[in-house]
């Protein structure tokens, strides 16, 4: 509980906690299992910027203190590029790019598919049945915090 900063809410029902604190409790639960790898699926979904930054700091702390590897599937490109040392970007299950965060930000396919860049080559239109993406949304899959081995 101390590792993730939730010691003060140990006696509270999780259902009564704010979403950001609930995510930290979830991390605490996962970290206390002694797992050597954490798989986090869209952990920043629904969090505001401050909650996301607290979550990021907690993931870094877990990684550093427990030497835990972290795999994150996340749409928040800012979170992804700040945590990751390697990023894999998927578009409908197909790998379209892999590299460092800097390489991913400059990749034309990533810009076109996820950021809507006018500079990148046009891609064929997609099926009309899929839901539209939020502006600036991304779908990277991430391996490990930046300082991982």
């Amino acid at each position: 509980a101390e590792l993730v900063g939730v010691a003060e809410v140990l006696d509270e029902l999780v259902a009564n906690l704010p979403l950001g604190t609930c995510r930290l409790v979830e991390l605490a639960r996962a970290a206390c299992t002694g797992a050597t790898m954490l798989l986090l699926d869209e952990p920043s979904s629904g969090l505001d910027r401050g909650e996301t930054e607290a979550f990021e700091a907690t993931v870094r702390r877990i990684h550093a203190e427990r030497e835990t590897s972290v795999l994150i599937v996340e749409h928040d490109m800012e979170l992804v590029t700040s945590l990751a040392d390697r990023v894999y970007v998927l578009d409908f299950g197909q790998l379209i790019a892999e590299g460092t965060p800097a390489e991913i930000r400059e990749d034309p396919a990533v810009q076109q598919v996820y950021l809507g860049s006018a500079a990148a080559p046009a891609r064929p239109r997609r099926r009309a049945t899929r839901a539209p993406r939020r502006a600036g949304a991304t779908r990277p899959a991430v391996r490990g915090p930046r300082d991982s081995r």
Side-chain angles (χ1 to χ4, degrees):
E2 289 83 18
L3 178 65
V4 299
V6 294
E8 69 279 356
V9 297
L10 286 177
D11 295 325
E12 298 289 330
L13 292 173
V14 174
N16 296 334
L17 299 174
L19 182 59
T21 306
C22 287
R23 293 288 162 81
L24 295 178
V25 169
E26 292 167 0
L27 261 182
R29 288 177 178 160
C32 77
T33 67
T36 58
M37 175 178 241
L38 295 178
L39 173 57
L40 307 175
D41 186 14
E42 299 191 34
S44 74
S45 178
L47 301 183
D48 64 28
R49 183 53 36 204
E51 291 168 328
T52 299
E53 289 169 357
F55 187 87
E56 175 188 345
T58 303
V59 169
R60 286 183 184 284
R61 209 167 28 256
I62 291 170
H63 171 70
E65 293 183 23
R66 300 275 174 98
E67 296 185 356
T68 303
S69 297
V70 180
L71 178 95
I72 302 175
V73 177
E74 179 58 67
H75 290 87
D76 183 337
M77 188 62 115
E78 197 172 320
L79 176 64
V80 167
T81 58
S82 69
L83 274 178
D85 57 1
R86 193 99 185 132
V87 178
Y88 298 83
V89 182
L90 304 176
D91 183 32
F92 290 98
Q94 297 297 312
L95 181 68
I96 63 167
E98 65 178 278
T100 66
E103 291 168 338
I104 294 302
R105 280 190 291 272
E106 298 301 318
D107 188 281
V110 174
Q111 291 176 1
Q112 176 62 36
V113 172
Y114 293 103
L115 306 176
S117 171
R123 291 186 39 118
R125 302 232 1 130
R126 301 184 194 226
R127 294 174 275 135
T129 57
R130 75 176 258 247
R133 289 196 181 108
R134 297 182 320 255
T138 60
R139 286 190 178 157
V142 182
R143 180 186 58 100
R146 178 161 291 162
D147 59 344
S148 69
R149 289 166 266 189

